[in-house]
Amino acid sequence: MESFFATMKKEELYRNTYHSFQEFKDCIKKHIDFYNVSRPHSTLSYKTPEAYEQAYFRLSQMNKN
């Protein structure tokens, strides 16, 4: 979690100025979606967290059968 928040601060919070609380919330949501769905992570063999999780569950389902 600490790595996520450090990345969010560097990539989103410190680079932008927000003009309303709603704008802030919307930008944070977009960043979280980007982080989990679009941004590859080196610690996950350059897969996104979503893709890594899907592969994990597919593999676990195959091992059950």
Side-chain angles (χ1 to χ4, degrees):
M1 279 312 266
E2 289 180 32
S3 176
F4 166 77
F5 285 112
T7 300
M8 185 173 66
K9 287 176 185 177
K10 285 184 248 175
E11 293 180 359
E12 177 63 32
L13 298 177
Y14 297 155
R15 293 182 179 189
N16 296 298
T17 301
Y18 307 100
H19 301 289
S20 70
F21 186 66
Q22 188 61 48
E23 181 184 6
F24 170 76
K25 286 176 25 177
D26 293 343
C27 288
I28 296 303
K29 182 180 180 341
K30 284 180 190 174
H31 181 77
I32 291 170
D33 290 342
F34 167 74
Y35 188 87
N36 288 322
V37 178
S38 302
R39 184 182 184 276
H41 296 249
S42 61
T43 57
L44 302 176
S45 301
Y46 294 94
K47 294 179 183 171
T48 66
E50 182 179 62
Y52 190 85
E53 181 181 55
Q54 289 173 354
Y56 172 82
F57 285 119
R58 273 195 304 273
L59 184 60
S60 66
Q61 285 296 331
M62 289 173 52
N63 288 336
K64 286 182 182 179
N65 297 331

